């Protein structure tokens, strides 16, 4: 068991993802817990994780965890549905630190919101094929049906900055993925990948009237509860500090990240190598 001993309530929250998508979780944390320091790691050299084997996803996410532990974080948010679906249980067995995932909070939220019991799910190949959402939803509400669609083209498009409304390529691809779900009559859709909230406005246009659940926002509510229960909420009154580490192309990350977060990321962003945490 790998342990993290050097933390207290003023230690940072660790957040990791395979890339840019984890910023959707960071944005929620900044809005809901503004006094918390955050250390973010995005594995931009190896994104996407969603088309890889379980073994590889587990190995990469172990390194991501070690990177964050080396920064003395007090809790880790897995801001990646792919890692949560494929590696969460292993990470919980191997690391002695509280871990917040993305799948369970979003599944619960969708079950609360649906009225006709037809829930759509979009995610990476790994997330959809793991069946993690379906199993959880069926446990919470056996009368719900989950209609799933793997969307392997979306993460590469988003990572290359194609997530803005009016981008004909991403709009066409997204329509192709979503229309079959709409035809099933879903009234709620889970954006089961932390990259997808960047496409929120386009999804809303394609699926009017459908409730949209973003995994990042649902999990921040759990994060707050967990920190409070562990007496680890930061009681400082000053704005939290945020540091961003990526394994490749920090400039590109900082450009897209600054637009998305509405704050300058560049001067807080550095390149880091997760391989040293093997
Ligand atoms: N952001 C990741 C997720 O939530 C997916 C990106 C990837 O495939 O690496 O599943």
């Amino acid at each position: 068991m790998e342990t993290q001993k050097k933390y207290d309530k003023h230690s940072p929250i660790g957040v990791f993802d395979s890339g840019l998508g984890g910023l959707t979780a960071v944005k929620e944390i900044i809005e809901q817990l503004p006094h918390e320091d955050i250390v973010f790691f995005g594995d931009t050299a190896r994104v996407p994780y969603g088309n890889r084997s379980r073994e590889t996803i587990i190995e990469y996410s172990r390194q991501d965890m070690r990177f964050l532990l080396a920064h003395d974080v007090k809790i880790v948010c897995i801001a990646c549905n792919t890692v949560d679906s494929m590696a969460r249980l292993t990470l919980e067995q191997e690391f002695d630190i509280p871990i917040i995932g993305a799948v369970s909070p979003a599944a619960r939220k969708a079950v609360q919101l649906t009225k006709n019991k037809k829930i759509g799910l979009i995610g990476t190949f790994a997330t959809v094929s793991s069946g993690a959402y379906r199993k959880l939803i069926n446990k919470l509400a056996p009368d719900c049906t989950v209609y799933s669609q793997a969307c392997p083209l979306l993460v590469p498009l988003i990572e290359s900055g194609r997530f803005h409304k009016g981008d004909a390529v991403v709009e066409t691809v997204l329509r192709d993925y979503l229309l079959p779900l709409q035809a099933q009559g879903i009234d709620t859709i889970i954006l089961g990948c932390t990259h997808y909230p960047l496409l929120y406005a386009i999804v809303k246009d394609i699926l009017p009237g459908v409730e949209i659940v973003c995994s990042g926002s649902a999990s921040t509510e759990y994060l707050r509860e967990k920190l409070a229960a562990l007496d680890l909420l930061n009681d400082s009154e000053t704005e939290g500090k945020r540091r961003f580490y990526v394994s490749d192309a920090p400039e590109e990350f900082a450009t897209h990240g600054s637009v998305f977060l509405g704050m300058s990321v560049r001067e807080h962003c550095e390149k880091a190598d997760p391989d040293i945490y093997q």
Side-chain angles (χ1 to χ4, degrees):
M1 191 78 147
E2 301 185 36
T3 54
Q4 168 64 296
K5 295 213 178 70
K6 292 188 290 180
Y7 67 82
D8 62 25
K9 59 172 67 174
H10 299 111
S11 303
I13 294 170
V15 181
F16 79 90
D17 180 33
S18 53
L20 192 64
L23 290 183
T24 61
V26 170
K27 188 173 189 182
E28 291 290 339
I29 298 172
I30 292 174
E31 278 168 19
Q32 294 187 38
L33 299 167
H35 307 300
E36 296 289 346
D37 293 348
I38 300 172
V39 175
F40 173 82
F41 177 67
D43 196 2
T44 50
R46 304 189 292 199
V47 67
Y49 284 9
N51 303 329
R52 298 183 194 270
S53 67
R54 179 185 294 271
E55 293 69 35
T56 301
I57 294 168
I58 289 175
E59 195 42 44
Y60 287 176
S61 49
R62 271 189 192 120
Q63 293 169 13
D64 302 340
M65 289 285 296
R66 289 185 191 126
F67 177 87
L68 291 176
L69 263 61
H71 287 78
D72 300 330
V73 299
K74 59 185 173 186
I75 194 165
V76 171
C77 297
I78 303 178
C80 179
N81 289 255
T82 301
V83 171
D84 195 8
S85 304
M86 288 287 187
R88 166 85 176 270
L89 291 180
T90 308
L91 298 178
E92 281 179 339
Q93 283 161 6
E94 295 181 358
F95 292 89
D96 183 20
I97 185 159
I99 296 177
I100 299 283
V103 171
S104 158
R108 282 172 201 280
K109 190 99 192 169
V111 167
Q112 281 163 13
L113 287 173
T114 184
K115 295 203 170 57
N116 71 3
K117 312 287 179 200
K118 293 182 178 188
I119 298 174
L121 166 71
I122 56 173
T124 64
F125 267 133
T127 298
V128 169
S129 68
S130 75
Y133 272 104
R134 188 187 302 276
K135 284 179 212 148
L136 201 55
I137 290 172
N138 286 344
K139 203 161 147 199
L140 293 167
D143 53 342
C144 280
T145 306
V146 181
Y147 300 93
S148 310
Q149 175 69 56
C151 306
L153 296 177
L154 293 183
V155 169
L157 283 169
I158 293 166
E159 286 287 327
S160 54
R162 306 196 76 145
F163 51 83
H164 300 285
K165 216 172 144 172
D167 184 307
V169 174
V170 75
E171 287 190 354
T172 305
V173 170
L174 199 48
R175 192 165 279 112
D176 198 57
Y177 287 139
L178 292 178
L179 292 185
L181 298 178
Q182 188 181 42
Q184 298 290 346
I186 58 163
D187 71 351
T188 303
I189 184 151
I190 300 171
L191 307 190
C193 169
T194 46
H195 281 66
Y196 300 171
L198 287 138
L199 304 172
Y200 187 94
I202 308 176
V203 175
K204 201 149 186 61
D205 279 356
I206 299 173
L207 298 177
V210 171
E211 297 278 3
I212 302 173
V213 177
C214 298
S215 53
S217 54
S219 46
T220 307
E221 290 162 28
Y222 278 75
L223 171 64
R224 177 202 289 280
E225 283 168 21
K226 186 87 178 178
L227 288 174
L230 296 168
D231 195 23
L232 284 176
L233 271 173
N234 193 333
D235 51 13
S236 149
E237 297 199 343
T238 54
E239 178 81 7
K241 295 186 205 65
R242 288 106 204 187
R243 281 175 289 152
F244 301 89
Y245 296 91
V246 289
S247 48
D248 198 11
E251 274 301 312
E252 197 180 341
F253 176 86
T255 303
H256 299 316
S258 302
V259 173
F260 178 66
L261 286 183
M263 61 176 261
S264 179
V265 166
R266 185 158 280 104
E267 57 273 27
H268 309 289
C269 182
E270 301 175 32
K271 189 163 182 293
D273 185 0
D275 279 352
I276 61 170
Y277 295 99
Q278 274 173 5

